[in-house]
Amino acid sequence: MTWSEMRPLLEQASWETLTMVGWSTLIAVAVGLPVGVLLVLTDRGGQLQSTVLNKAIGQIVNVGRSMPFIILMVALMGFTRWVTGTSIGSEAAIVPLAIGGIPFFARLVETAVREVDGGLVEAVESMGGSTWTVVRKVLVPEALPSLIASTTTTVIALIGYSAMAGTVGGGGLGDLAVRYGYQRFETGLMWITVALLAVAISVIQFAGDRAARSVQRRGTRTGAAGRGRLRPARPAKAAKPAPADAGEAA
């Protein structure tokens, strides 16, 4: 197969992979973030402590994480067909990708939020801050570098999931590698798809690490400035008594 024949196939497959991973990441972050925060808030000592709710959410997340993606995709075919009208193709693959990414990202969010200094939470609560204020002003901003790193990890995992989705007609680079690289013995095309996936993962990891470091440095500077503003002013030195007038002394 010549390059002119491979190029349109690679462009279409790359666009399908980008679409699948992009939409599934948005859904996973939008749903996984509140689920992860809720796991922390409902845990022992949390602002919304509830053992029953925490264990229920945790069990659902554990089941979602423990199920291999290829099995999850097959198990959700009926639901996927009900949502999208079909069970094959890149649009259909978004449904299991998003459902598989939600529990994965939720656990990463839980770990990131637990690392936030409890003293900051207590300070906001002592000033009358509500649970929503604690989440919006402390938990999420302080955990933002870790949340960015967690998003990066989730995107990379979803790229791997999308490649597996190609084995059952999910479209994308994985489907291209299976149909042409494996079934038609187009070894060159298969290695090109592998190289494209490796480059995409490297670029995403680099961008995510850089964004996380940038946010962390900005937060460090802001925190230092804030501590400087809150530092009590030094008491003014007492003025020295004026020397006695020489005329009065005389």
Side-chain angles (χ1 to χ4, degrees), residues 89-101:
S90 57
E91 292 182 1
I94 294 174
V95 176
L97 282 172
I99 294 177

Side-chain angles (χ1 to χ4, degrees), residues 181-203:
Y182 177 72
Q183 296 177 352
R184 302 186 185 183
F185 303 102
E186 294 288 348
T187 307
L189 181 61
M190 182 177 66
W191 283 112
I192 291 175
T193 60
V194 171
L196 286 175
L197 289 172
V199 170
I201 290 173
S202 299
V203 171

Side-chain angles (χ1 to χ4, degrees), residues 116-203:
V116 176
D117 186 4
L120 298 175
V121 176
E122 294 176 358
V124 173
E125 290 179 333
S126 65
M127 292 185 291
S130 62
T131 301
W132 171 243
T133 303
V134 170
V135 172
R136 188 167 55 93
K137 296 293 187 180
V138 179
L139 296 182
V140 172
E142 291 295 323
L144 190 56
S146 296
L147 292 177
I148 293 175
S150 300
T151 304
T152 303
T153 303
T154 303
V155 172
I156 293 174
L158 289 175
I159 290 176
Y161 290 170
S162 70
M164 285 189 284
T167 62
V168 290
L173 291 172
D175 177 62
L176 185 66
V178 171
R179 286 192 295 114
Y180 286 87
Y182 177 72
Q183 296 177 352
R184 302 186 185 183
F185 303 102
E186 294 288 348
T187 307
L189 181 61
M190 182 177 66
W191 283 112
I192 291 175
T193 60
V194 171
L196 286 175
L197 289 172
V199 170
I201 290 173
S202 299
V203 171

Side-chain angles (χ1 to χ4, degrees), residues 68-115:
F69 177 74
I70 192 70
I71 297 177
L72 178 66
M73 189 169 185
V74 174
L76 291 174
M77 277 188 174
F79 178 71
T80 301
R81 190 180 297 108
W82 177 73
V83 173
T84 63
T86 180
S87 60
I88 59 174
S90 57
E91 292 182 1
I94 294 174
V95 176
L97 282 172
I99 294 177
I102 289 171
F104 182 86
F105 184 68
R107 281 300 185 191
L108 295 178
V109 171
E110 180 189 11
T111 302
V113 172
R114 287 191 188 280
E115 296 175 354

Side-chain angles (χ1 to χ4, degrees), residues 4-73:
S4 60
E5 294 173 329
M6 290 190 291
R7 181 175 177 178
L9 296 174
L10 291 169
E11 289 178 351
Q12 180 181 357
S14 299
W15 175 251
E16 290 176 350
T17 297
L18 178 63
T19 302
M20 289 188 294
V21 174
W23 280 107
S24 58
T25 299
L26 288 175
I27 297 172
V29 170
V31 180
L33 179 61
V35 170
V37 173
L38 193 60
L39 282 170
V40 177
L41 296 178
T42 57
D43 200 4
R44 184 177 302 175
Q47 287 74 21
L48 302 175
Q49 180 174 335
S50 174
T51 304
V52 175
L53 182 59
N54 183 266
K55 289 187 178 297
I57 298 175
Q59 191 62 34
I60 295 173
V61 170
N62 290 338
V63 171
R65 288 187 62 197
S66 63
M67 186 174 296
F69 177 74
I70 192 70
I71 297 177
L72 178 66
M73 189 169 185

